[in-house]
C-alpha cells in the first residue's frame, strides 16, 4: 500500500477557502499566503482518545478540503511513526498508533499544506482499570496448570496459556491457536482444550478436565497435509472457504479472554486490511450466575459457537464479563469497551455487536446497555433479569421470608393447618406460583452477600414442602480465599470482604465508620403480604406477625431483628450510574428476550414429569427465572424509554428456561436482519426511533404454549399466552407488598400507617402492633423511590467513588 510520501493529491484546489465543523478542528482563516495553514483533524477510531488501553489505537487523519498529503509526517511523543499511516482502499488515511506509554501521549501531525496539529491520547494499562476506579485486592492470578493451596494462598485456576503472569495485574502473554471444524457426525461443540472446572473452595485445586472424545473443532497445523475431515462453510456474504478458526487467547482488565474468527493461515490480517471472511460483526457472549471470587479464571462461555462462526461472525468472551467471576457491573462494561477497542485495533472496524447470555449473562447484556449505551447494538437474551441490584431485593426478601417461616411465632400460627394450606399462604405472600421459588433464591444466592466466612444454609429438595432449613458443616467464603485472608469482624476486620458491594468498593465507596462498602439493601417500610391480606389469602394476625418477625440484615448479611437500611449515597449512585437498569438507556438497544419457564421447583411443565426433584433443583430448573421479569423490563421501557418497540418477548412453556436450538437460531438471524437494517438507516431520526422503525416483522411478540408438544405453533395473542399456567407472569414479595412490577424502587418513601389500607381486616391492637413495627411509616408506592433519578452515565470512577460524567471527548488542535 502506498505510503504518505507518495500519496496522490486529493481533489480540490490548494489555497481554496476551507470549511469544517467547529466540533472537529480549529480552522485558520482564508486569505493571503502569509496567513496560517489550515488545520487537519486527528481522530481516534477504536475508542475515545482519553479511554485508550493496551498501548495502541487506530487513528484517522482528516485533511481539510483542498489540502494534500505532501510532506505529511506523524510522531508520537517525538518518535516518528509516519510509516504507520497510508491512504486505504476506502480513501481514508488511517494507521495504528502503537507503543504508547501509560498516561498522556501526544500525537503530532504536520504537512506542507496543513498546520502542525496535536492530539493528547491517554493510554491505560492492558490490565486496567480505565474508568472503573481502583481494583480490589488481593487477587490471585491464574497459572498454566492449576496449583493447590499453600498456607497463605488459595488454589489457582488454569489459565489455558503457557506462561505465567508478568505483573500484579495478571497480564499474561497473548497466544494464538488454529482449529478446524470437522465433518464428523455427532461431534461435540465442547471446548477442544477445556478449562478445568473452577475450584469453588480456597484449598482444593480444580479437577483436570479432558477434551471431548469427538470434538467438532480439532487443532489445525499450518504446513501440514489438509485434514481429510476439514469442513467448509459459507458466510452470510456468500463466501465459501475452509472452516478454519483462529483463537486468540490473552488477558484484559485482569480477565482471560478468547477471540475466535474464521481465518486463512496463508494471508495476513490487520486492522486496516482485515481478511474478507470476517463480516465485521461481533457476538459477545456473557457468562451466567453471579459472584465475586478474588481469582483469575478462564471464561465460562465457549468460543465454539458454530451458528455465529460459520456465518462469519467473530465470537468474543472474557472472564471479567462472566457474571460468575465479576459482579462489578461498571468494571464489566469497561471490560467490554476495552475488548471492542482491542478488536478494532487488531482486526478492523466493527459493523455491530450483539450481546448474548442467560441469567447473569442477561444482566450483563442489559447492564452494558444501561451503564454505557452503545457498547452493544442488540442483545439476544434468555432467563432474563434487568440488573443485579433490583434482583438482590427479591433474594433478600426470600431469604428473610424463608427464615421467618421457620420461626416459632409463625409455626405457632400454622398449627392445625395442612401442609397445602401453609404453603398456599407462603405462595400468596411470596407472589410466586408456590413456595419453592423462594427456596431457589435462598439456596443459590441467599449467601452470595455474605462478607466473611459462613456455613451454607439451604432448603433441600426433599424439604420443599416443609421449608425446613439445613446447614452445611463446612465453612466457605465468596472470595474463594483461605479463611486467614478473609474478613472477620473480630479476628480480621481488615480482611477481604467477599460481597458484591465490597468487590465494587471503587464504585460505592465505604460506609462511614465501617470497613464495609455502601450498599443498596433496604426493606424499611415494606409490608410483606399486604395484597395477600387484602385478598383474604392470609389473616390479619398472620400479616402482623410476619412483619414483626421478618427483620432484615446487617452489612455482613447477618440476620437482624431490625429492617435493613440502605446508604443514601449508594441509592444515588445506583440510579445515576445506570446500575439499576434504565429503561431510557435500554431503549437505545434492540432486544429479543426468550423467556422460558422456571417459576417453580415442584410444579413442572410437560417434558419434566418423572425427573427427580433433586435433579430439577439446580440442573433442569432453579425456580428463580420468573416470567414476570421480562415484563418488568417492559414496564421500565414504557415508563422511561418511550415505549417497548425495541423489545420482543418470545415465551416458551415446555423446555425449561433454555430456548431450543430452533428458537435460538431464529433469534440470531432475526437480530442480524434487525441490526443490518438499523445500520443502513441514514435518516435523521433518533437512535431509539430508528430501532423501532427497522424492527423486522419476525421480531414480534409470540409464545409457544406448554400444550404444544412440538413447540412449533406461534401464538401472538397475549391473553392466550397469559392463560397458560406455565407462561403466566406472576409477581414477587415486593409486589405483593404493594410495589410496582418494574421492581426498581430500592428504598421506598414512607407514609403513616392508614387503617383504611387493610379493609377492616386488622383490629385496634393489631394496628397498634403494626405502628410499632413501622414507627417511621410504611411504603408509599405512589411516589418514586428514595434517590430514584434518571441515569446520567456513562460515569467515570477514576477520581473516586460516586462517579462523574465523562468530560467532552478530546479533540485535536493546532499546535502553538
Amino acid at each position: 500500500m502506498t505510503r504518505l510520501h507518495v500519496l496522490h493529491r486529493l481533489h480540490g484546489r490548494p489555497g481554496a477557502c476551507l470549511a469544517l465543523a467547529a466540533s472537529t478542528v480549529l480552522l485558520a482563516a482564508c486569505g493571503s499566503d502569509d496567513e496560517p495553514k489550515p488545520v487537519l483533524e486527528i481522530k481516534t477510531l477504536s475508542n475515545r482518545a482519553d479511554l485508550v488501553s493496551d498501548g495502541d489505537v487506530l487513528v484517522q487523519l482528516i485533511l481539510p478540503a483542498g489540502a494534500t498529503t505532501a510532506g505529511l509526517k506523524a510522531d508520537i511523543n517525538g518518535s516518528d511513526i509516519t510509516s504507520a499511516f497510508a491512504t486505504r482502499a476506502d480513501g481514508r488515511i488511517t494507521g495504528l498508533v502503537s507503543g504508547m506509554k501509560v498516561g498522556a501521549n501526544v500525537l503530532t501531525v504536520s504537512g506542507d499544506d496543513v498546520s502542525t496539529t496535536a492530539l493528547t491520547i491517554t493510554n491505560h494499562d492492558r490490565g486496567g482499570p480505565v474508568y472503573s476506579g481502583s481494583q480490589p485486592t488481593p487477587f490471585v492470578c491464574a497459572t498454566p496448570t492449576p496449583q493447590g493451596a499453600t498456607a497463605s494462598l488459595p488454589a489457582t485456576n488454569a489459565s489455558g496459556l503457557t506462561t505465567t503472569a508478568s505483573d500484579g495485574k495478571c497480564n499474561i502473554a497473548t497466544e494464538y491457536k488454529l482449529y478446524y471444524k470437522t465433518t464428523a457426525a455427532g461431534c461435540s461443540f465442547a471446548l477442544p482444550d477445556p478449562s478445568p472446572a473452577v475450584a469453588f473452595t480456597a484449598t482444593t485445586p480444580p479437577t483436570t478436565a479432558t477434551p471431548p472424545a469427538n470434538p467438532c473443532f480439532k487443532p489445525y497445523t499450518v504446513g501440514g497435509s489438509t485434514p481429510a475431515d476439514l469442513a467448509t462453510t459459507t458466510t452470510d456474504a456468500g463466501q465459501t472457504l475452509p472452516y478454519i478458526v483462529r483463537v486468540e487467547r490473552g488477558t484484559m482488565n485482569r480477565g482471560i479472554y478468547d477471540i475466535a474468527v474464521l481465518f486463512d493461515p496463508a494471508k495476513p490480517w490487520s486492522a486496516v486490511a482485515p481478511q474478507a471472511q470476517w463480516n465485521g460483526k461481533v457476538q459477545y457472549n456473557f457468562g451466567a450466575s453471579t459472584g465475586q471470587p478474588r481469582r483469575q479464571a478462564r471464561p465460562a462461555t465457549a468460543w465454539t459457537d458454530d451458528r455465529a462462526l460459520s456465518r462469519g461472525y467473530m465470537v468474543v468472551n472474557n472472564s471479567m464479563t462472566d457474571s460468575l467471576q465479576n459482579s462489578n457491573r461498571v468494571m464489566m462494561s469497561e471490560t467490554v469497551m476495552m475488548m471492542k477497542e482491542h478488536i478494532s485495533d487488531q482486526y478492523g472496524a466493527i459493523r455491530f455487536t450483539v450481546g448474548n447470555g442467560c441469567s447473569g449473562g442477561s444482566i450483563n447484556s442489559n447492564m452494558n446497555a444501561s451503564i454505557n449505551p452503545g457498547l452493544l447494538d442488540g442483545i439476544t437474551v434468555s432467563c432474563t433479569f434487568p440488573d443485579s441490584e433490583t434482583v438482590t431485593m427479591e433474594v433478600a426478601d426470600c431469604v428473610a421470608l424463608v427464615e421467618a417461616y421457620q420461626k416459632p411465632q409463625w409455626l405457632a400460627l400454622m398449627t392445625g393447618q395442612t401442609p397445602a394450606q401453609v404453603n398456599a399462604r407462603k405462595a400468596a405472600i411470596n407472589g410466586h406460583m408456590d413456595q419453592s421459588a423462594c427456596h431457589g433464591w435462598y439456596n443459590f444466592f441467599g449467601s452470595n452477600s455474605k462478607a466473611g466466612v459462613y456455613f451454607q444454609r439451604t432448603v433441600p429438595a426433599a424439604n420443599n414442602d416443609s421449608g425446613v432449613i439445613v446447614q452445611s458443616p463446612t465453612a466457605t467464603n465468596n472470595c474463594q480465599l483461605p479463611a486467614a485472608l478473609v474478613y472477620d469482624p473480630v479476628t480480621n476486620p481488615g480482611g477481604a470482604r467477599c460481597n458484591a458491594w465490597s468487590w465494587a468498593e471503587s464504585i460505592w465507596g465505604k460506609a462511614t465508620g465501617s470497613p464495609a462498602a455502601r450498599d443498596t439493601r433496604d426493606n424499611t417500610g415494606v409490608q410483606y403480604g399486604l395484597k395477600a391480606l387484602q385478598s383474604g389469602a392470609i389473616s390479619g394476625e398472620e400479616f402482623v406477625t410476619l412483619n414483626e418477625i421478618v427483620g432484615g440484615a446487617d452489612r455482613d448479611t447477618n440476620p437482624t431483628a431490625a429492617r435493613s437500611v440502605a446508604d443514601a449515597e449508594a441509592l444515588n449512585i445506583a440510579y445515576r450510574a445506570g446500575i439499576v437498569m434504565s429503561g431510557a438507556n435500554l431503549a437505545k438497544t434492540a432486544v429479543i428476550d426468550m423467556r422460558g419457564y422456571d417459576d417453580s421447583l415442584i410444579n413442572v411443565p410437560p417434558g419434566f414429569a418423572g425427573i427427580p426433584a433433586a435433579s430439577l433443583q439446580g440442573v433442569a430448573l432453579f425456580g428463580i427465572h420468573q416470567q414476570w421479569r421480562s415484563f418488568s423490563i417492559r414496564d421500565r421501557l414504557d415508563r422511561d424509554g418511550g415505549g417497548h418497540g425495541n423489545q420482543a418477548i418470545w415465551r416458551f412453556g415446555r423446555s425449561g428456561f433454555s430456548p431450543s436450538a430452533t428458537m435460538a437460531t431464529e433469534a440470531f438471524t432475526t437480530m442480524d436482519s434487525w441490526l443490518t437494517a438499523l445500520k443502513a438507516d441514514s435518516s435523521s431520526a433518533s437512535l431509539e426511533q430508528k430501532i423501532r422503525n427497522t424492527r423486522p416483522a419476525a421480531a414480534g411478540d409470540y409464545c409457544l404454549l406448554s400444550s404444544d408438544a412440538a413447540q412449533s405453533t406461534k401464538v401472538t395473542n397475549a391473553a392466550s399466552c397469559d392463560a397458560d399456567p406455565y407462561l403466566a407472569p406472576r409477581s414477587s414479595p415486593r409486589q405483593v407488598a404493594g410495589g410496582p412490577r418494574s421492581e426498581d424502587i430500592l428504598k421506598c418513601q414512607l407514609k403513616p400507617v392508614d387503617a383504611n389500607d387493610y379493609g377492616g381486616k386488622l383490629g385496634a391492637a393489631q394496628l397498634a402492633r403494626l405502628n410499632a413495627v413501622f414507627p417511621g411509616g410504611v411504603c408509599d408506592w405512589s411516589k418514586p423511590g428514595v434517590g430514584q433519578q434518571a441515569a446520567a452515565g456513562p460515569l467515570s470512577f477514576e477520581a473516586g467513588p460516586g462517579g462523574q460524567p465523562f468530560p467532552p471527548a478530546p479533540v485535536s488542535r493546532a499546535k502553538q
Side-chain angles (χ1 to χ4, degrees):
M1 190 168 290
T2 308
R3 293 297 174 189
L4 288 176
H5 64 282
V6 293
L7 290 176
H8 65 280
R9 296 176 69 88
L10 301 181
H11 292 294
R13 293 183 299 104
C17 281
L18 309 172
L20 286 179
S23 62
T24 58
V25 291
L26 299 176
L27 298 180
C30 295
S32 70
D33 294 338
D34 295 332
E35 292 179 348
K37 299 174 184 177
V39 181
L40 58 73
E41 178 188 2
I42 306 173
K43 181 180 180 181
T44 55
L45 299 177
S46 48
N47 208 345
R48 284 174 45 133
D50 54 346
L51 300 177
V52 169
S53 61
D54 197 27
D56 52 22
V57 65
L58 194 62
V59 172
Q60 179 182 5
L61 307 180
I62 303 174
L63 295 174
T68 74
T69 58
L72 211 59
K73 295 181 179 179
D75 73 72
I76 187 76
N77 300 330
S79 297
D80 184 20
I81 57 168
T82 303
S83 62
F85 290 91
T87 299
R88 310 298 174 181
D90 60 3
R92 298 188 303 168
I93 304 171
T94 58
L96 184 67
V97 175
S98 57
M100 292 185 291
K101 64 184 179 181
V102 172
N105 300 265
V106 179
L107 174 60
T108 305
V109 180
S110 61
D112 292 349
D113 292 344
V114 294
S115 295
T116 300
T117 305
L119 174 67
T120 299
I121 302 172
T122 304
N123 174 55
H124 303 78
D125 189 271
R126 180 186 185 94
V130 177
Y131 62 76
S132 67
S134 59
Q135 296 170 323
T137 56
F139 186 78
V140 181
C141 302
T143 49
T145 58
Q147 297 179 358
T150 67
S152 58
L153 293 175
T156 63
N157 294 311
S159 65
L161 295 160
T162 59
T163 59
T164 58
S166 61
D167 55 28
K169 290 182 178 292
C170 297
N171 288 317
I172 306 175
T174 303
E175 299 176 9
Y176 302 88
K177 293 182 179 179
L178 294 175
Y179 295 90
Y180 74 92
K181 169 70 168 57
T182 178
T183 56
C187 61
S188 169
F189 281 99
L191 283 169
D193 65 329
S195 173
V198 173
F200 282 93
T201 66
T203 57
T204 305
T207 57
T208 301
T210 56
N214 184 22
C216 291
F217 288 95
K218 297 179 179 180
Y220 180 86
T221 302
V222 176
S225 59
T226 301
D229 59 343
L230 172 61
T232 60
T233 188
T234 301
T235 69
D236 61 10
Q239 183 180 7
T240 300
L241 70 162
Y243 199 156
I244 300 170
V245 175
R246 189 181 77 170
V247 178
E248 175 188 344
R249 180 167 296 153
T251 57
M252 187 74 71
N253 212 13
R254 303 201 301 184
I256 299 172
Y257 69 80
D258 286 334
I259 298 174
V261 68
L262 291 172
F263 189 78
D264 183 346
K267 296 179 180 178
W269 190 320
S270 71
V272 294
Q275 291 189 10
Q277 68 273 11
W278 180 41
N279 56 22
K281 305 169 188 177
V282 172
Q283 176 170 290
Y284 203 112
N285 292 331
F286 297 100
S289 193
T290 288
Q292 47 279 336
R294 303 293 185 101
R295 300 192 296 168
Q296 190 180 42
R298 288 267 298 276
T301 55
W303 57 262
T304 54
D305 190 328
D306 177 61
R307 182 187 299 115
L309 289 171
S310 65
R311 289 171 164 84
Y313 271 70
M314 178 181 289
V315 176
V316 182
N317 54 31
N318 183 309
S319 57
M320 277 298 171
T321 58
D322 280 353
S323 188
L324 177 64
Q325 301 299 328
N326 175 25
S327 57
N328 180 336
R329 310 303 169 178
V330 175
M331 185 198 302
M332 176 275 301
S333 296
E334 169 188 71
T335 304
V336 174
M337 179 195 73
M338 295 171 73
M339 290 296 298
K340 289 190 65 177
E341 182 200 329
H342 175 70
I343 293 165
S344 298
D345 290 343
Q346 302 302 320
Y347 292 87
I350 297 172
R351 288 178 62 189
F352 57 72
T353 305
V354 181
N356 177 63
C358 163
S359 196
S362 71
I363 289 176
N364 281 351
S365 298
N366 286 317
M367 287 291 86
N368 273 274
S370 181
I371 291 171
N372 198 340
L375 288 177
L376 304 178
D377 299 288
I379 59 176
T380 54
V381 289
S382 57
C383 32
T384 311
F385 296 116
D387 57 67
S388 51
E389 292 306 303
T390 59
V391 170
T392 296
M393 287 196 305
E394 187 174 23
V395 178
D397 287 344
C398 278
V399 168
L401 289 168
V402 169
E403 293 281 359
Y405 296 147
Q406 295 300 309
K407 291 181 179 179
Q409 300 95 317
W410 179 263
L411 293 174
L413 292 175
M414 297 299 104
T415 300
Q417 302 294 318
T418 66
Q421 290 171 323
V422 173
N423 287 329
R425 287 167 166 78
K426 293 178 183 178
I429 295 165
N430 300 351
H432 301 147
M433 174 181 273
D434 56 54
Q435 77 283 357
S436 69
C438 264
H439 299 166
W441 279 127
Y442 186 89
N443 293 347
F444 296 113
F445 296 99
S447 298
N448 195 259
S449 296
K450 294 286 189 182
V453 175
Y454 65 92
F455 296 88
Q456 179 77 45
R457 289 167 64 81
T458 59
V459 178
N463 294 359
N464 270 328
D465 197 48
S466 66
V468 172
I469 299 165
V470 300
Q471 181 168 293
S472 169
T474 304
T476 188
N477 68 80
N478 295 317
C479 290
Q480 299 177 17
L481 293 173
L485 299 179
V486 174
Y487 163 82
D488 182 276
V490 177
T491 63
N492 193 16
R497 292 179 60 85
C498 303
N499 62 24
W501 297 280
S502 288
W503 171 252
E505 189 178 295
S506 63
I507 309 303
W508 306 109
K510 278 188 179 292
T512 303
S514 170
R518 301 180 183 122
D519 77 56
T520 62
R521 289 173 292 179
D522 194 286
N523 66 344
T524 303
V526 175
Q527 300 183 85
Y528 292 103
L530 175 61
K531 290 183 178 178
L533 168 70
Q534 293 168 337
S535 70
I538 63 174
S539 70
E541 185 59 28
E542 290 162 353
F543 170 72
V544 174
T545 298
L546 177 64
N547 281 285
E548 287 175 326
I549 66 175
V550 71
D554 64 14
R555 295 187 187 279
D556 296 343
T557 318
N558 298 313
T560 60
R563 297 297 183 101
S564 304
V565 180
D567 294 290
E569 183 55 26
L571 298 171
N572 290 329
I573 294 168
Y575 291 111
R576 191 172 66 245
I579 297 171
V580 171
M581 194 212 76
S582 160
N585 282 351
L586 185 63
K588 299 177 174 68
T589 305
V591 179
I592 297 178
D593 182 343
M594 294 167 279
R595 171 60 66 183
Y597 173 82
D598 188 24
D599 288 38
S600 168
L601 290 167
I602 56 179
N603 286 298
V604 297
F608 285 96
I611 298 178
S615 297
L616 287 172
Q617 189 161 327
V619 180
L621 294 172
F622 289 78
I624 60 176
H625 304 98
Q626 305 264 324
Q627 292 283 327
W628 66 268
R629 287 285 179 184
S630 296
F631 296 92
S632 168
I633 295 170
R634 176 159 290 186
D635 287 353
R636 298 191 201 182
L637 286 167
D638 287 341
R639 187 191 64 205
D640 301 326
H644 59 266
N646 67 310
Q647 181 206 35
I649 299 178
W650 297 353
R651 286 184 274 175
F652 51 99
R654 201 172 179 90
S655 61
F657 55 79
S658 297
S660 67
T662 299
M663 178 177 283
T665 299
E666 180 187 7
F668 180 93
T669 56
T670 302
M671 182 57 71
D672 182 271
S673 298
W674 195 344
L675 296 182
T676 299
L678 174 64
K679 293 300 179 178
D681 186 345
S682 59
S683 71
S684 60
S686 67
L687 175 58
E688 295 90 332
Q689 192 58 51
K690 287 182 179 181
I691 291 171
R692 295 167 189 155
N693 291 346
T694 57
R695 176 175 175 167
D701 289 354
Y702 72 82
C703 76
L704 305 175
L705 297 174
S706 62
S707 58
D708 178 7
Q711 291 288 278
S712 60
T713 302
K714 295 180 180 179
V715 176
T716 56
N717 182 281
S720 298
C721 297
D722 291 346
D724 187 316
Y726 299 105
L727 297 178
R730 292 178 174 82
S731 64
S732 68
R734 202 63 64 112
Q735 291 168 58
V736 175
R741 189 172 64 175
S742 60
E743 196 107 327
D744 56 353
I745 294 179
L746 296 170
K747 179 181 179 64
C748 64
Q749 296 192 55
L750 302 177
K751 65 177 184 178
V753 171
D754 184 347
N756 294 321
D757 290 342
Y758 311 105
K761 298 179 185 296
L762 299 183
Q766 291 169 330
L767 283 169
R769 289 163 56 196
L770 201 63
N771 273 290
V773 173
F774 300 110
V778 296
C779 287
D780 184 349
W781 299 110
S782 68
K783 297 178 179 178
V786 177
Q788 192 165 9
Q789 58 194 278
L795 301 183
S796 172
F797 298 83
E798 193 170 12
Q804 296 295 325
F806 286 175
V811 296
S812 57
R813 298 186 182 276
K815 193 170 183 179
Q816 301 300 318

